[in-house]
Amino acid sequence: MMLHRKRLVAAALGAALAMGIPSYGFATDLPNLSDFKTATTQNGCQLIPFADLRARCVEANNGLHAQDACSAPACQASAGVDENRRRQRAWSNCVDRRTATEKAFSDTLARFESLKKVELKGNQEPNKSYKATMETITGRIAAGQPGHAQALRDAKNTLAACASQI
C-alpha cells in the first residue's frame, strides 16, 4: 500500500503540475485510504481527510459560538458606541471563523478534483476505492453547505448592520 501511495502522490503532483492545477502539498500530506474511509464516517471538520485542512477547520470552529464571536448580541442603538464596537469586533471574528471553515471545505473539494484526474495504470482498484470515498465525502460536504452558507450570510448581515450603530 505504501508503494501505491507514493505512486499516487507522484502522479497527483505530476498531473496537477501538467494541468496547471495547484499541487496542494500532496507530496507531504496525502492521507492513506484508511484515513479517507474513516473520514466518511465522521461529521463536521472530522469529515475532512486532509490533516492540514481538518486542523484549519477545527481551529476556526474553536470558540465559534463564544460571546466574542457568533454568540455576541447584535448591535443596537441602546447599547452605546463602545459596546457596539465590541459587538462589531465579535461579529467580524464570527465572519472570519465561518469563512475559514468554508475555505477548509472548499479546499478539500478542490483537492478531490485534482486527485480524481489521476489514473495509475495497474493500480485501478485503489484508485476506485479512493474515488468512491471522495464521492461519499463530497456528498456529505454538499449536504451541509447550504446551512453553512446561510450562517455566513447571516453573520455578514449582522456585521454590516453594526456599522449603522457606531
Side-chain angles (χ1 to χ4, degrees):
M1 182 62 176
M2 187 58 152
L3 181 59
H4 170 69
R5 186 169 178 227
K6 286 181 181 179
R7 286 182 182 157
L8 182 60
V9 168
L13 185 58
L17 293 174
M19 291 186 275
I21 298 169
S23 68
Y24 299 113
F26 286 136
T28 59
D29 63 5
L30 181 69
N32 60 40
L33 184 55
S34 67
D35 293 333
F36 271 75
K37 288 180 178 180
T38 298
T40 65
T41 67
Q42 303 298 311
N43 294 307
C45 295
Q46 299 307 315
L47 186 61
I48 299 173
F50 304 100
D52 62 322
L53 297 180
R54 185 176 51 251
R56 185 187 328 154
C57 182
V58 167
E59 181 180 339
N61 277 280
N62 284 338
L64 180 68
H65 297 290
Q67 284 293 336
D68 67 342
C70 300
S71 289
C75 295
Q76 50 190 323
S78 62
V81 174
D82 289 341
E83 176 60 18
N84 280 331
R85 282 191 180 125
R86 186 194 67 72
R87 292 176 183 187
Q88 184 180 38
R89 284 189 302 274
W91 282 101
S92 179
N93 184 23
C94 174
V95 168
D96 291 347
R97 288 171 178 273
R98 289 196 180 280
T99 300
T101 299
E102 179 62 30
K103 179 107 171 80
F105 283 109
S106 66
D107 286 353
T108 296
L109 297 177
R111 286 186 190 183
F112 284 174
E113 288 307 310
S114 183
L115 281 172
K116 287 177 189 174
K117 293 178 171 130
V118 175
E119 289 292 334
L120 300 176
K121 299 204 184 303
N123 292 307
Q124 296 305 312
E125 201 52 46
N127 282 343
K128 288 179 186 176
S129 295
Y130 268 104
K131 289 178 181 180
T133 59
M134 285 189 282
E135 288 303 316
T136 299
I137 294 169
T138 297
R140 299 209 37 225
I141 289 173
Q145 283 181 321
H148 290 287
Q150 183 62 50
L152 179 57
R153 278 191 303 276
D154 292 346
K156 286 179 177 180
N157 289 338
T158 302
L159 177 59
C162 278
S164 67
Q165 300 298 323
I166 296 177

